Amino acid sequence: MANSFSDSSDSDTPTSIHDSASTHDNGHGDVLIEDSGAGANNPSPGQRFTRLLRVAGPTTVIMVLILLSMIFIGIIEPYLAIADYKNIASGPRRSAPTIQWLFGTDNLGRSVFARVLEGIRLTFLLSVTAVVAAGIVGSFIGMAAAWYRGIFDTFIARMADVLFAFPSLIFGLIISAIIGPGSFAAIVAIFFIVLPTMVRVVRGAAIGVVNRDFVVAAQISGASTARILFKHIFPNVASVTVVQTAYLLSIGMIIESSLSFLGLGVQPPASSLGALLREGSAFLNIAPWMVLAPGAVLTLAIFCVNYVGDAARSIIEPAQPRPLE
Amino acid sequence: MLFIAARLGLAALTIAGVATLVFFGMRLIPGSYADLFFPLASEADREAISIEYGLDGSALEQYILWLGKLLQGDFGTSLVTNKPVIDEIVQRLPLTLELGFLALMIIAFIGFPMGIISGMFHKKWTSQVGRHSSTFLMSIPNFVLGSLLVYAFSVNSLGLKAGGWAPLSEGLMENLKYAILPAFTLSITGLGLVLATARSSVLGVIGQDHILAAVSRGLSPKDIFSKHIFRNALIPVITIFAIVAGYLLGGTVLVETVFSLDGVGRLLVNSITRRDYPVVQIGVILTATAFVLTNTIADILYGIIDPRVTEKNDG
């Protein structure tokens, strides 16, 4: 019952082919037509997977692979045999990139390649932690606001307005000053900066669901509020939450690296990509690789996250005619 | 009218919320002003310092006092330089405003048309280029682009200056030499965002039945574009443009750091580390006011362009 809304929403909106091709192109101009009879013939997991690959398109698959390998390298990085990123004078000072030192070495002779790998790890770790936490807390608050409405809803909306209007980087800097610079401060800052977006999006999606028949039916049959929120409303806003989490992840990575770049995020010897850029910028003219390598990797990582987020949106929320609001 | 009044009321409420948040946020930072600047001062001296700078009493008392002065137009005095806060900010405002203005121009005259073109020719390669370049532009953190530009232009300057500043009083050309790189850096995220919005908005309109109807009535492509597509596509772009405009003032922090410019963003960052409460408070309130006002104006404009909006009271 609870899923009737999300299941039917794909097929009961008539989509003109022209429209679906234009609003949700999948990267190579193909027309995306969702299988409307998805419920009728249950495809095996294998079939589902190949269909997913076909819908996503080759570029998305490549992006997902890059992203996964970055995360994978981030996870196994501490166990790799590459020179320890903390190892001072493991190589010559400020050596330009060579075969042995892929991204060159820094002013203390540390391998920039090893430091960049460590940086990816921290950058992902901090932003994923903060954004997932914000996703969970945000969907809870958003659903509750949509359910209770009234004063609670108004209060939440005004709080979100205030957090939105607060210049986000300055907010992060104040947080960092309050709890002391470091990884934890970065997580807290990202959490509060992305939270209002999450709350608004989930609230908006939940408001469309709270008055639907199956929710009313659940209420009449005596289901508790918690049960209604999680069993009936959450499945219908889950896709919005997932898509939004992907978007906010890239924002989280930008905030984390910005804070670290200003010296108030991750503290040495730990190094996120932003912290590496900060250190490198002092040597920009004599050892540009200290800036260019982490900068390029950071941009690539954020690009992959954004790209995969876009793809996830067009797969999870398939082509629908865009109403003129 | 009621719609506009309600919007302005909400805007005032939001700014009041920001003022409260920044005040108590600053007070939560451990270590008092006296600890930081007069670490050797005696207990009695600290007391005197606190009283002199209005830092005695509980946070709540200070807040009420500060708010009262603020409403009378007294913005306070910098704890570090002893100059009025408003002077400190006004002195640096032209640089930050100019950067923001130039960035908006870049976004409006490059990002917007690129998005429209990429949306109009959606079957061609232009569309894919538009799609990927917008994602790419949004993915470059502006301090990364800034560092790259500083490096690239230090190798070959092409007559432009990456770092430092010449005020407008030294002539427009001289000023632009310094301003163009930081302004471009500042514009990058907004450029991608406006490009993407304009593109998807045009794509959304093209698929509508009324465009098909216009085509079958035999309207010229030029008329269809200017009367049907452009106007409808403009609405979401205005909203995004306002959001971007609001963010630009807060976004200058990193750009000013990378290009070593003495603007409002830098002032705010330095003031946080120096515990210069009055400067941070006023700076944050001004930035937030700019953000809230641009959004409110966009809301009102939105209502004028699309009268249906004002009739709905709840989004």
Side-chain angles (χ1 to χ4, degrees):
Chain A
M1 199 56 188
N3 283 321
S4 63
F5 173 55
S6 55
D7 279 343
S8 63
S9 66
D10 303 344
S11 46
D12 67 15
T13 46
T15 47
S16 69
I17 290 173
H18 180 69
D19 202 36
S20 58
S22 52
T23 46
H24 285 271
D25 38 359
N26 60 351
H28 42 100
D30 285 357
V31 179
L32 291 182
I33 306 172
E34 280 295 297
D35 272 356
S36 47
N41 56 330
N42 273 327
S44 70
Q47 279 173 316
R48 270 171 188 257
F49 187 67
T50 43
R51 183 185 296 164
L52 186 67
L53 286 188
R54 208 175 60 234
V55 173
T59 328
T60 311
V61 174
I62 294 173
M63 290 299 162
V64 172
L65 288 179
I66 297 179
L67 195 58
L68 286 180
S69 53
M70 277 191 181
I71 295 172
F72 180 69
I73 291 173
I75 293 170
I76 62 163
E77 184 272 333
Y79 311 103
L80 283 183
I82 318 172
D84 187 349
Y85 67 95
K86 281 181 282 194
N87 246 354
I88 289 175
S90 61
R93 286 180 181 200
R94 291 195 292 271
S95 152
T98 59
I99 305 268
Q100 194 196 351
W101 310 103
L102 271 183
F103 292 165
T105 57
D106 69 2
N107 53 316
L108 298 175
R110 289 172 290 193
S111 159
V112 175
F113 184 66
R115 300 198 74 198
V116 165
L117 291 190
E118 163 69 7
I120 298 174
R121 194 175 76 88
L122 261 180
T123 300
F124 269 117
L125 188 71
L126 299 184
S127 17
V128 168
T129 313
V131 172
V132 168
I136 294 168
V137 176
S139 15
F140 186 72
I141 297 178
M143 284 193 301
W147 179 252
Y148 290 111
R149 301 302 290 262
I151 297 175
F152 178 67
D153 187 27
T154 312
F155 175 74
I156 294 296
R158 295 293 81 81
M159 287 304 289
D161 280 351
V162 169
L163 279 181
F164 256 120
F166 210 105
S168 51
L169 201 53
I170 301 295
F171 184 83
L173 293 176
I174 294 179
I175 294 270
S176 164
I178 293 174
I179 49 188
S183 305
F184 183 64
I187 291 178
V188 175
I190 299 169
F191 176 84
F192 279 109
I193 292 170
V194 301
L195 186 66
T197 314
M198 203 71 208
V199 170
R200 272 195 189 175
V201 168
V202 173
R203 176 189 172 273
I207 275 183
V209 184
V210 285
N211 288 325
R212 290 187 72 97
D213 289 346
F214 60 85
V215 176
V216 178
Q219 209 180 350
I220 292 171
S221 53
S224 69
T225 305
R227 188 181 162 81
I228 293 176
L229 286 187
F230 289 103
K231 275 277 187 180
H232 299 279
I233 296 179
F234 186 71
N236 288 298
V237 298
S239 65
V240 183
T241 313
V242 169
V243 170
Q244 205 57 39
T245 305
Y247 275 115
L248 293 180
L249 185 56
S250 70
I251 293 180
M253 290 164 72
I254 291 182
I255 298 167
E256 187 283 316
S257 48
S258 304
L259 281 180
S260 298
F261 182 73
L262 290 173
L264 288 159
V266 173
Q267 298 297 303
S271 53
S272 74
L273 294 173
L276 288 180
L277 273 154
R278 172 189 172 79
E279 277 178 47
S281 55
F283 305 96
L284 191 56
N285 289 319
I286 36 176
W289 50 88
M290 282 177 65
V291 167
L292 300 184
V297 171
L298 180 61
T299 307
L300 179 67
I302 296 173
F303 181 72
C304 289
V305 170
N306 276 329
Y307 198 96
V308 173
D310 272 348
R313 189 191 57 172
S314 51
I315 292 169
I316 295 178
E317 298 168 4
Q320 283 174 8
R322 183 200 177 90
L324 265 183
E325 282 143 1
Chain B
M1 254 357 260
L2 198 66
F3 170 73
I4 295 178
R7 281 281 159 219
L8 288 178
L10 273 187
L13 195 63
T14 307
I15 295 167
V18 170
T20 312
L21 189 60
V22 70
F23 186 91
F24 288 105
M26 288 303 289
R27 294 303 179 287
L28 280 177
I29 299 178
S32 71
Y33 172 75
D35 290 339
L36 205 67
F37 284 90
F38 307 100
L40 300 176
S42 68
E43 213 39 57
D45 286 347
R46 282 171 191 231
E47 201 83 343
I49 291 167
S50 288
I51 292 171
E52 187 183 338
Y53 288 103
L55 299 172
D56 55 330
S58 73
L60 194 63
E61 285 167 22
Q62 290 180 38
Y63 174 68
I64 293 167
L65 211 65
W66 173 69
L67 210 59
K69 281 187 181 168
L70 190 64
L71 291 175
Q72 292 166 24
D74 179 1
F75 292 102
T77 313
S78 161
L79 299 181
V80 176
T81 60
N82 262 328
K83 280 195 265 179
V85 172
I86 202 74
D87 288 1
E88 293 279 342
I89 289 176
V90 165
Q91 182 193 340
R92 293 169 172 88
L93 205 54
L95 187 154
T96 304
L97 282 183
E98 191 193 335
L99 284 187
F101 175 76
L102 286 177
L104 275 185
M105 290 298 108
I106 294 173
I107 293 168
F109 291 106
I110 297 178
F112 183 53
M114 269 169 68
I116 298 274
I117 291 170
S118 148
M120 289 298 291
F121 303 101
H122 59 102
K123 289 282 162 61
K124 302 217 177 78
W125 58 271
T126 42
S127 185
Q128 294 315 312
V129 169
R131 193 178 109 120
H132 291 117
S133 56
S134 69
T135 311
F136 184 65
L137 292 176
M138 283 189 274
S139 303
I140 314 175
N142 56 20
F143 60 91
V144 173
L145 179 69
S147 308
L148 185 70
L149 289 180
V150 169
Y151 172 64
F153 282 84
S154 70
V155 176
N156 186 348
S157 78
L158 300 174
L160 296 176
K161 300 278 199 280
W165 189 254
L168 261 175
S169 54
E170 289 180 27
L172 183 65
M173 282 323 285
E174 188 62 20
N175 169 258
L176 281 181
K177 264 188 202 171
Y178 287 90
I180 205 81
L181 290 178
F184 176 68
T185 307
L186 182 62
S187 75
I188 195 80
T189 311
L191 201 62
L193 204 57
V194 167
L195 202 168
T197 313
R199 176 175 179 275
S200 73
S201 157
V202 167
L203 285 175
V205 176
I206 281 180
Q208 300 277 324
D209 289 344
H210 71 272
I211 302 294
L212 193 64
V215 174
S216 48
R217 284 208 310 277
L219 258 69
S220 74
K222 205 179 131 201
D223 279 354
I224 294 178
F225 177 74
S226 60
K227 290 197 179 129
H228 294 277
I229 297 178
F230 187 73
R231 193 173 151 132
N232 280 315
L234 199 59
I235 297 172
V237 176
I238 288 180
T239 320
I240 291 294
F241 199 74
I243 291 177
V244 167
Y247 273 122
L248 281 182
L249 272 190
T252 54
V253 173
L254 290 163
V255 175
E256 286 170 11
T257 306
V258 172
F259 288 94
S260 31
L261 304 174
D262 188 19
V264 178
R266 267 293 249 346
L267 174 71
L268 277 182
V269 175
N270 292 339
S271 300
I272 292 175
T273 39
R274 293 190 299 217
R275 306 281 186 280
D276 199 344
Y277 304 113
V279 176
V280 178
Q281 283 155 200
I282 299 300
V284 166
I285 292 174
L286 283 183
T287 315
T289 307
F291 177 84
V292 171
L293 278 188
T294 47
N295 277 280
T296 308
I297 291 171
D299 271 353
I300 295 170
L301 270 182
Y302 206 107
I304 293 170
I305 298 177
D306 186 351
R308 284 167 297 184
V309 174
T310 41
E311 288 160 19
K312 286 190 285 185
N313 51 10
D314 200 328

